[in-house]
């Protein structure tokens, strides 16, 4: 019985297979189609048409995944923030130079009272620098403003180097203070505008880092150099800065503000690298500028909301505490403070 049942099952399976094969062979066109004749569901022409309609291609999608080049952004930020280094040398100059001026290193009398005027003239110059540069950056550009600031800074150092009176010292400090205070406005602006969002905070710290490095530099050099020699070294820094800054592009944001889209793209491409697709970022910048223009309100109205008032109060409060805490007095007269405290 078992063998008979197995034979029946085998017969049934073979019979079913045979009948299925015959049914398939009866389908019209069976065997006429070859694999080589199979066409893709979407032809290359249709694919290109679809990509054109959508405005994006597979190649574009791949290129958008290309990371931006950051070495150029770091390099430009370090170059621009040399302005902060210059500001640091201006801030710290009176500390090593003060006692030597009083000791008679220059051929005219400098009293302690005179030294206080020489030191504070720098801060007075910085007060005038900020509002002037605030208008200049949107007129001639961020880069050109930084280049122009080298002029009053150099003239100021020249007056200090070849000074014939306390008044010349004060005038020199006034001009160098104008340059230093102006750098504090334009350099962070330039750095923020050239940086990617991911590294904007990092690059934003460079200005203050360079400023403190400049203070340390002038303290170190001033420990062995004469006032004349120290001033010459400080005067060389703006020249060095101009030479490097000439190699850097203008901020793409400024070009867009002047409706120079081509130059903006060239600038941003330099900062991001030749392989990076900048179109979406340029579009975002343009949209942001358009929104800024459309939402522009008078200054008093901008600070009419409670949130704006609170932010203004906090910002000004922090700056007030910093400045009125006496930090500049410490920076200006560090050597004298330590000597009077009998530390040096």
């Amino acid at each position: 019985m078992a063998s008979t049942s197995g034979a029946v099952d085998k017969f049934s399976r073979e019979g079913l297979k045979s009948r299925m094969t015959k049914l398939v062979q009866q389908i019209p066109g069976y065997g006429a189609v070859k694999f080589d004749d199979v066409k893709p569901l979407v032809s290359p022409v249709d694919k290109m048409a679809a990509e054109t309609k959508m405005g994006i291609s597979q190649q574009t999608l791949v290129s958008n995944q290309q990371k931006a080049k950051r070495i150029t952004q770091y390099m430009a930020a370090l170059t621009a923030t040399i302005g902060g280094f210059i500001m640091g040398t201006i801030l710290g100059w009176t500390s090593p130079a003060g006692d030597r001026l009083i000791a008679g290193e220059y051929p005219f009398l400098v009293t302690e009272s005179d030294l206080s005027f020489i030191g504070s003239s720098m801060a007075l110059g910085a007060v005038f620098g900020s509002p002037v540069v605030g208008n200049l950056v949107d007129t001639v550009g961020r880069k050109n403003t930084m280049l122009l600031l080298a002029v009053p800074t150099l003239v100021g150092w020249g007056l200090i180097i070849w000074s014939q009176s306390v008044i010349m010292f004060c005038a020199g400090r006034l001009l160098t203070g104008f340059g230093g205070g102006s750098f504090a406005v334009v350099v962070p602006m330039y750095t923020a505008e050239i940086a990617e969002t991911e590294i904007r905070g990092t690059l934003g710290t460079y200005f203050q880092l360079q400023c403190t490095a400049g203070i340390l530099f002038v303290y170190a050099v001033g420990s062995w150099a004469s006032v004349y020699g120290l001033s010459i070294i400080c005067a060389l820094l703006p020249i060095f800065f101009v030479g490097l800054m000439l190699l850097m592009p203008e901020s793409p944001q400024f070009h867009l503000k002047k409706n120079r889209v081509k130059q903006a793209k060239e600038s941003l491409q330099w900062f991001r690298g030749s392989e990076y697709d900048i179109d979406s970022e340029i579009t975002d910048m343009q949209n942001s500028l358009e929104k800024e223009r459309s939402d522009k309100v008078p200054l008093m109205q901008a600070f009419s909301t409670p949130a704006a008032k609170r932010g203004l109060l906090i910002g000004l409060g922090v700056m007030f505490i910093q400045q009125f805490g006496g930090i500049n007095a410490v920076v200006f007269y560090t050597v004298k403070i330590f000597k009077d405290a009998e530390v040096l």
Side-chain angles (χ1 to χ4, degrees), residues 179-231:
S182 301
F183 277 127
V185 175
V186 64
V187 173
M189 182 185 297
Y190 178 83
T191 305
E193 290 181 353
I194 67 171
E196 285 182 283
T197 306
E198 293 82 0
I199 60 172
R200 189 168 295 152
T202 301
L203 299 189
T205 64
Y206 283 11
F207 181 81
Q208 190 60 39
L209 180 64
Q210 290 266 44
C211 184
T212 53
I215 295 171
L216 179 62
F217 172 81
V218 83
Y219 284 177
V221 175
S223 65
W224 54 266
S226 65
V227 176
Y228 182 79
L230 175 64
S231 301

Side-chain angles (χ1 to χ4, degrees), residues 25 38 54 65 98 109-110 120 128 134 155 177 199 201 206 219 242 284 305 333 343:
Q25 290 174 348
V38 176
M54 292 173 63
Q65 296 173 359
L109 179 65
V110 177
S120 59
F128 292 108
V155 173
I199 60 172
Y206 283 11
Y219 284 177
V242 168
D284 289 342
T305 63
Y333 308 111
V343 176

Side-chain angles (χ1 to χ4, degrees), residues 91-112:
L91 284 167
W93 178 84
T94 49
S95 183
D99 280 354
R100 293 177 180 177
L101 290 175
I102 293 173
E105 192 165 306
Y106 271 65
F108 53 87
L109 179 65
V110 177
T111 65
E112 288 195 4

Side-chain angles (χ1 to χ4, degrees), residues 253-270:
Q253 290 270 18
F254 174 72
H255 283 309
L256 288 177
K257 280 191 173 185
K258 296 297 183 180
N259 296 317
R260 299 197 291 254
V261 179
K262 181 182 177 182
Q263 290 92 326
K265 288 184 176 181
E266 290 173 352
S267 172
L268 189 61
Q269 197 75 72
W270 190 91

Side-chain angles (χ1 to χ4, degrees), residues 44-327:
V45 176
D46 293 337
K47 181 182 177 183
M48 290 178 63
E51 289 175 351
T52 303
K53 186 176 181 180
M54 292 173 63
I56 191 168
S57 66
Q58 184 178 2
Q59 183 179 2
T60 303
L61 287 171
V62 173
S63 65
N64 279 337
Q65 296 173 359
Q66 178 70 33
K67 288 187 177 180
K69 190 177 180 182
R70 291 183 174 177
I71 184 66
T72 47
Q73 298 175 62
Y74 286 118
M75 184 169 61
L78 284 171
T79 300
T81 53
I82 293 174
F85 191 93
I86 293 170
M87 181 181 175
T89 61
I90 296 167
L91 284 167
W93 178 84
T94 49
S95 183
D99 280 354
R100 293 177 180 177
L101 290 175
I102 293 173
E105 192 165 306
Y106 271 65
F108 53 87
L109 179 65
V110 177
T111 65
E112 288 195 4
S113 177
D114 293 333
L115 184 62
S116 67
F117 279 105
I118 293 170
S120 59
S121 296
M122 180 268 166
L124 185 62
V127 170
F128 292 108
S130 298
V132 172
V133 170
N135 294 320
L136 199 60
V137 288
D138 286 332
T139 304
V140 301
R142 287 74 163 128
K143 174 185 173 180
N144 289 332
T145 299
M146 287 187 279
L147 294 174
L148 288 173
L149 288 176
V151 176
T153 307
L154 274 172
V155 173
W157 281 120
L159 289 172
I160 291 171
I161 292 168
W162 293 290
S163 182
Q164 300 297 317
S165 66
V166 173
I167 293 177
M168 284 186 69
F169 266 128
C170 290
R173 290 285 291 170
L174 191 76
L175 286 173
T176 54
F178 177 91
S182 301
F183 277 127
V185 175
V186 64
V187 173
M189 182 185 297
Y190 178 83
T191 305
E193 290 181 353
I194 67 171
E196 285 182 283
T197 306
E198 293 82 0
I199 60 172
R200 189 168 295 152
T202 301
L203 299 189
T205 64
Y206 283 11
F207 181 81
Q208 190 60 39
L209 180 64
Q210 290 266 44
C211 184
T212 53
I215 295 171
L216 179 62
F217 172 81
V218 83
Y219 284 177
V221 175
S223 65
W224 54 266
S226 65
V227 176
Y228 182 79
L230 175 64
S231 301
I232 289 176
I233 293 171
C234 290
L236 293 175
L237 293 174
I239 300 173
F240 176 70
F241 170 73
V242 168
L244 289 179
M245 200 63 213
L246 285 171
L247 304 175
M248 300 297 115
E250 177 58 89
S251 159
Q253 290 270 18
F254 174 72
H255 283 309
L256 288 177
K257 280 191 173 185
K258 296 297 183 180
N259 296 317
R260 299 197 291 254
V261 179
K262 181 182 177 182
Q263 290 92 326
K265 288 184 176 181
E266 290 173 352
S267 172
L268 189 61
Q269 197 75 72
W270 190 91
F271 288 118
R272 301 294 185 265
S274 58
E275 301 298 324
Y276 185 76
D277 185 6
I278 61 168
D279 290 340
S280 60
E281 193 169 352
I282 284 288
T283 302
D284 289 342
M285 288 181 181
Q286 289 174 318
N287 292 338
S288 177
L289 287 173
E290 286 298 324
K291 189 175 186 302
E292 182 182 322
R293 292 189 185 108
S294 61
D295 295 346
K296 192 172 183 179
V297 295
L299 181 63
M300 296 305 295
Q301 185 179 342
F303 291 105
S304 61
T305 63
K309 291 177 181 177
R310 193 181 307 114
L312 179 65
L313 181 63
I314 293 171
L316 292 179
V318 170
M319 291 302 298
F320 180 87
I321 293 170
Q322 182 201 41
Q323 293 300 309
F324 281 79
I327 182 60

